[in-house]
Amino acid sequence: MSNRVKLRVQGLTSSQIQSGAYALILAEENGPRKVPIIVGTAEAQSIAIALEHLMPPRPLTHDLFISFSHAFSIELRDVFIYKFEEGVFYSELTFDNGIQTVKIDSRTSDAIAIALRIQCPIFTSEEILEECSVVIEESPELEEDVENDDLLAMNPEEIGDEEKLNRWIQMQETKELERRLEEAIKNENYEFAKIYQDELSRRKSEKR
């Protein structure tokens, strides 16, 4: 049997190939490869609900399937995407009731929607990854932008690293630093008041 490679669901995006369809992105758990799978609107909605941990007012088909399996003590052990042929991915669900293990064929979109609801592992073969996966290289500039956005969202008191704190201060507008300086003095937070004052003084000296 082919070596199994564990996947995780990275998300959904609108398909650039088929109108009204979506691309389900499965990512290699410990690697850069990603497998896009085209799914319909109904399946995409069900997957999105599971990803967001939402509870519909009435159970969807996939919710009903989970309730049925739980009612009869049937455990879904894993999902295996075992074949890709003529543009179609084939999957199987492995069930165990404590007495016997049974494999059931499934559409991949249904298999993923069910797997997400009970958080069971998803696998594929190395052969399918080699044939169908893509590697999306993220530029260093993009990674830096994302890191800076995360840093900006933090409070300076939460930043324990001096280098990151200096970068956070340099990204602030002068008016924002002046506001924080006044607030720090008011709250007797003299350590940060000095940090803000030093940066404001540095900026003023550069303008001379």
Side-chain angles (χ1 to χ4, degrees):
M1 181 180 291
S2 301
N3 290 331
R4 292 189 172 197
V5 181
K6 193 172 185 180
L7 303 173
R8 58 181 173 81
V9 179
Q10 180 169 310
L12 286 161
T13 184
S14 298
S15 172
Q16 303 298 315
I17 301 173
Q18 298 181 21
S19 177
Y22 294 83
L24 168 66
I25 309 300
L26 301 178
E28 184 180 13
E29 188 171 72
N30 296 309
R33 294 175 292 183
K34 296 174 175 58
V35 180
I37 300 176
I38 303 301
V39 299
T41 301
E43 293 78 10
Q45 180 185 41
S46 182
I47 290 169
I49 286 173
L51 285 171
E52 297 297 328
H53 305 290
L54 301 177
M55 184 65 67
R58 298 291 295 159
L60 301 177
T61 303
H62 299 117
D63 299 312
L64 180 62
F65 188 93
I66 296 298
S67 298
F68 175 87
S69 63
H70 285 170
F72 289 91
S73 300
I74 300 171
E75 177 189 2
L76 174 58
R77 293 175 55 182
D78 61 53
V79 167
F80 182 44
I81 305 171
Y82 65 91
K83 184 170 71 172
F84 178 75
E85 187 174 273
E86 297 181 357
V88 178
F89 290 90
Y90 292 80
S91 295
E92 63 183 15
L93 307 172
T94 301
F95 291 96
D96 190 340
N97 65 356
I99 300 174
Q100 63 182 127
T101 299
V102 177
K103 297 182 184 296
I104 298 178
D105 199 50
S106 168
R107 293 192 309 171
T108 298
S109 56
D110 290 327
I112 299 300
I114 293 170
L116 284 171
R117 282 163 166 77
I118 60 172
Q119 298 182 350
C120 80
I122 302 165
F123 299 95
T124 191
S125 67
E126 181 63 36
E127 289 78 9
I128 288 178
L129 273 177
E130 289 180 0
E131 181 179 358
C132 305
S133 67
V134 295
V135 176
I136 301 174
E137 296 288 350
E138 294 187 353
S139 66
E141 292 81 6
L142 179 59
E143 292 178 0
E144 185 176 347
D145 287 344
V146 172
E147 184 180 353
N148 286 342
D149 287 343
D150 292 340
L151 190 61
L152 272 173
M154 298 178 68
N155 290 320
E157 291 82 359
E158 300 172 340
I159 305 172
D161 183 83
E162 183 178 354
E163 182 181 342
K164 286 185 178 180
L165 179 59
N166 288 334
R167 199 161 84 241
W168 180 91
I169 291 171
Q170 290 168 12
M171 289 189 290
Q172 303 300 315
E173 294 183 358
T174 298
K175 288 184 177 180
E176 176 62 18
L177 285 177
E178 290 173 344
R179 183 189 71 78
R180 287 182 176 270
L181 173 60
E182 291 180 6
E183 188 177 271
I185 293 173
K186 181 180 178 180
N187 294 329
E188 298 183 355
N189 188 350
Y190 299 117
E191 179 184 0
F192 277 92
K194 183 179 186 306
I195 292 173
Y196 300 143
Q197 183 61 60
D198 288 347
E199 176 62 17
L200 288 169
S201 299
R202 185 188 67 79
R203 293 184 185 186
K204 287 179 182 178
S205 65
E206 286 182 350
K207 289 182 179 180
R208 292 173 184 172

